[in-house]
């Protein structure tokens, strides 16, 4: 399920963790509401903040180390994929759409629909969304919902941290003295503000695409994807309505045979 912790993304993950806890430490060392409540013995808010930061770090590692849905090369996975495809093809009516299972030219496995080979991970990934350099891992069928959850928790942490940083700025008679007093906190607040905007945009875009049941790869490269070339400009063969799309993404954990959805022969996961 998890890849080697000391793989190629070790430095990225280490930098993420260090930055997270350094900013948290800065918020506690300056005269913010967190420190004030800690000094007065009111530990509820500081403890909740630290726990939320810890949850965000754990989610980060879970998403970055989790198997995103690699297409296995073992015989069982190949038989499952081909068996489903053959059964699906027997039920497919004659339409302008065409289905063609491709064998990946890199890892030599049969690619299910909506999968793509990642040049960085050197694997084909089911329901491939994108390769994220932030987590040094692909976002795919198995970890996409966890990635969205991580973004949501991270956004709450960042906005809360930004508010706490604002509460810690102290007054000074001159700008030079103010910068000398609040320079470190100002730098931390600037980093948190940039990260907040980034995470907000990422979370919003992913929720929008999830509501349409499409992926970042399909949205950006629609004209180059074989199973979407025959569809109209506004046609999405995987769209089952906003509520069903959201329900299927967040609440249905079983793998979905996207060939069934594509040809409208059956939308139930197997």
């Amino acid at each position: 399920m998890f890849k080697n912790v000391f793989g190629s993304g070790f430095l990225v993950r280490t930098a993420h963790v260090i930055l997270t806890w350094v900013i948290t430490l800065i918020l506690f060392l300056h005269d913010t509401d967190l420190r004030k409540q800690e000094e007065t013995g009111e530990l509820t808010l500081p403890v909740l903040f630290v726990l939320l930061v810890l949850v965000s770090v754990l989610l980060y590692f879970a998403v970055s180390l989790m198997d995103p849905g690699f297409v296995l090369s073992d015989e069982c996975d190949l038989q499952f994929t081909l068996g489903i495809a053959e059964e699906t093809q027997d039920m497919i009516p004659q339409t302008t759409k065409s289905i063609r299972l491709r064998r990946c030219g890199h890892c030599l496995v049969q690619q299910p629909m909506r999968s793509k080979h990642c040049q960085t991970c050197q694997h084909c990934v089911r329901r491939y969304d994108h390769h994220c350099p932030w987590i040094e891992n692909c976002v795919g069928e198995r970890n996409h919902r966890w990635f969205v959850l991580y973004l949501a928790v991270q956004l709450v942490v960042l906005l809360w941290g930004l508010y706490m940083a604002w509460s810690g700025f102290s007054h000074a008679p001159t700008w030079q003295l103010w910068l000398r007093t609040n320079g470190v906190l100002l730098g931390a607040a600037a980093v948190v503000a940039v990260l907040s905007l980034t995470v907000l945009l990422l979370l919003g875009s992913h929720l929008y695409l999830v509501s349409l049941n499409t992926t970042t790869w399909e949205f950006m490269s629609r004209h180059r994807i074989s199973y979407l070339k025959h569809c109209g400009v506004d046609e999405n063969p995987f769209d089952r309505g906003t509520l069903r799309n959201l329900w299927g993404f967040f609440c249905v954990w079983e793998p979905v045979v996207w060939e069934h959805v594509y040809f409208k022969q059956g939308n139930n996961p197997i």
Side-chain angles (χ1 to χ4, degrees), residues 221-239:
S221 305
R222 180 185 181 92
H223 60 287
R224 297 193 291 111
I225 300 175
S226 58
Y227 56 82
L228 295 179
K229 285 183 178 180
H230 302 289
C231 302
V233 177
D234 299 325
E235 181 185 359
N236 177 11
F238 306 111
D239 187 5

Side-chain angles (χ1 to χ4, degrees), residues 160-180:
W160 195 354
L162 190 61
Y163 173 77
M164 289 302 162
W166 181 265
S167 70
F169 289 123
S170 58
H171 298 284
T174 64
W175 278 105
Q176 292 80 2
L177 183 59
W178 187 90
L179 287 175
R180 192 179 307 143

Side-chain angles (χ1 to χ4, degrees), residues 62-78:
V63 173
S64 63
L65 299 176
M66 185 181 295
D67 176 358
F70 293 135
V71 180
L72 304 178
S73 58
D74 60 87
E75 186 178 354
C76 293
D77 185 76
L78 187 59

Side-chain angles (χ1 to χ4, degrees), residues 26-43:
I26 290 174
L27 293 178
F28 274 94
L29 291 178
H30 285 74
D31 196 24
T32 62
D33 287 349
L34 289 173
R35 181 174 179 178
K36 291 175 182 177
Q37 295 200 17
E38 181 186 9
E39 290 176 346
T40 58
E42 300 177 10
L43 299 179

Side-chain angles (χ1 to χ4, degrees), residues 30-247:
H30 285 74
D31 196 24
T32 62
D33 287 349
L34 289 173
R35 181 174 179 178
K36 291 175 182 177
Q37 295 200 17
E38 181 186 9
E39 290 176 346
T40 58
E42 300 177 10
L43 299 179
T44 302
L45 195 64
V47 170
L48 284 177
F49 183 79
V50 171
L51 287 177
L52 195 59
V53 172
L54 181 60
V55 169
S56 73
V57 171
L58 292 177
L59 281 173
Y60 172 81
F61 274 100
V63 173
S64 63
L65 299 176
M66 185 181 295
D67 176 358
F70 293 135
V71 180
L72 304 178
S73 58
D74 60 87
E75 186 178 354
C76 293
D77 185 76
L78 187 59
Q79 287 178 351
F80 170 80
T81 303
L82 293 176
I84 292 298
E86 291 170 358
E87 178 185 346
T88 303
Q89 288 182 3
D90 293 337
M91 297 186 298
I92 294 173
Q94 297 299 320
T95 66
T96 57
K97 297 177 182 177
S98 63
I99 181 173
R100 183 183 64 170
L101 284 181
R102 298 180 303 170
R103 185 173 294 278
C104 178
H106 300 278
C107 52
L108 302 179
V109 298
Q110 203 81 27
Q111 289 183 324
M113 185 173 284
R114 307 191 82 181
S115 64
K116 182 183 181 297
H117 183 84
C118 176
Q119 296 289 350
T120 304
C121 294
Q122 292 299 310
H123 285 288
C124 289
V125 180
R126 297 181 183 274
R127 198 183 177 278
Y128 175 86
D129 189 86
H130 73 289
H131 182 89
C132 181
W134 189 354
I135 63 174
E136 271 297 314
N137 194 13
C138 280
V139 176
E141 184 178 70
R142 294 189 63 183
N143 68 344
H144 196 173
R145 60 173 60 88
W146 292 108
F147 180 73
V148 172
L149 178 61
Y150 160 70
L151 290 178
V153 173
Q154 187 69 68
L155 182 60
V156 173
V157 171
L158 290 169
L159 293 178
W160 195 354
L162 190 61
Y163 173 77
M164 289 302 162
W166 181 265
S167 70
F169 289 123
S170 58
H171 298 284
T174 64
W175 278 105
Q176 292 80 2
L177 183 59
W178 187 90
L179 287 175
R180 192 179 307 143
T181 305
N182 301 288
V184 175
L185 187 61
L186 180 62
V191 172
V192 171
V194 172
L195 292 176
S196 298
L197 180 60
T198 303
V199 173
L200 178 62
L201 293 175
L202 277 173
L203 180 61
S205 63
H206 276 276
L207 288 176
Y208 171 72
L209 294 177
V210 166
S211 69
L212 299 177
N213 201 350
T214 190
T215 64
T216 303
W217 173 55
E218 291 170 343
F219 183 79
M220 300 295 294
S221 305
R222 180 185 181 92
H223 60 287
R224 297 193 291 111
I225 300 175
S226 58
Y227 56 82
L228 295 179
K229 285 183 178 180
H230 302 289
C231 302
V233 177
D234 299 325
E235 181 185 359
N236 177 11
F238 306 111
D239 187 5
R240 295 177 285 184
T242 302
L243 292 180
R244 290 189 66 186
N245 291 337
L246 292 173
W247 174 265

